[in-house]
Amino acid sequence: MKLRTGLLVVLGMGFSLVASGSTLTDNRGFSNCESELMDALGESGLVLDHDFEVADRGSSKTFYIKGSAWADDGSRTTVTSICVTDRFGHGVASLETDSEKSISRGGILAVQ
């Protein structure tokens, strides 16, 4: 019985991870957000996690994205972003980025 319960827990976790970005519009939205983030912070060595959360707001989708970049002091720092697209994942309407330490790229500075 314990093995069976453990298998159900593992299967349940697998389904919840897939659900975070499983639709075409979610993947399109993430790709558009990723492109905007790379334009803003790409030269800072930005690396994004492809496991993201999506909140469907009806007329828009809000993506919660995590990653890391090089900080000004030479260490890696966590970067979190909130990106809003239309409900189909097209066009980034807003993008907010926050990091644990200052990161810079060509005059663009993102701070806590």
Side-chain angles (χ1 to χ4, degrees):
M1 185 63 172
K2 288 182 182 180
L3 178 60
R4 186 185 218 172
T5 304
L7 182 59
L8 290 175
V9 170
V10 170
L11 288 174
M13 287 176 18
F15 287 123
S16 67
L17 292 176
V18 172
S20 69
S22 62
T23 69
L24 177 63
T25 57
D26 290 350
N27 290 327
R28 180 186 305 125
F30 176 82
S31 180
N32 285 327
C33 291
E34 179 181 39
S35 179
E36 290 287 325
L37 284 163
M38 287 300 180
D39 285 348
L41 300 172
E43 290 180 23
S44 65
L46 180 65
V47 177
L48 298 178
D49 296 338
H50 285 264
D51 183 26
F52 55 91
E53 297 296 322
V54 180
D56 192 339
R57 310 267 186 226
S59 63
S60 67
K61 288 183 179 271
T62 302
F63 295 84
Y64 301 93
I65 304 168
K66 293 182 181 180
S68 65
W70 292 111
D72 286 340
D73 66 4
S75 65
R76 294 296 285 177
T77 186
T78 300
V79 176
T80 57
S81 296
I82 299 173
C83 179
V84 179
T85 68
D86 69 11
R87 68 183 182 166
F88 302 110
H90 294 291
V92 174
S94 70
L95 179 65
E96 295 177 30
T97 302
D98 192 17
S99 64
E100 294 174 338
K101 298 179 182 179
S102 295
I103 56 175
S104 64
R105 176 199 143 323
I108 297 173
L109 182 65
V111 294
Q112 286 182 311

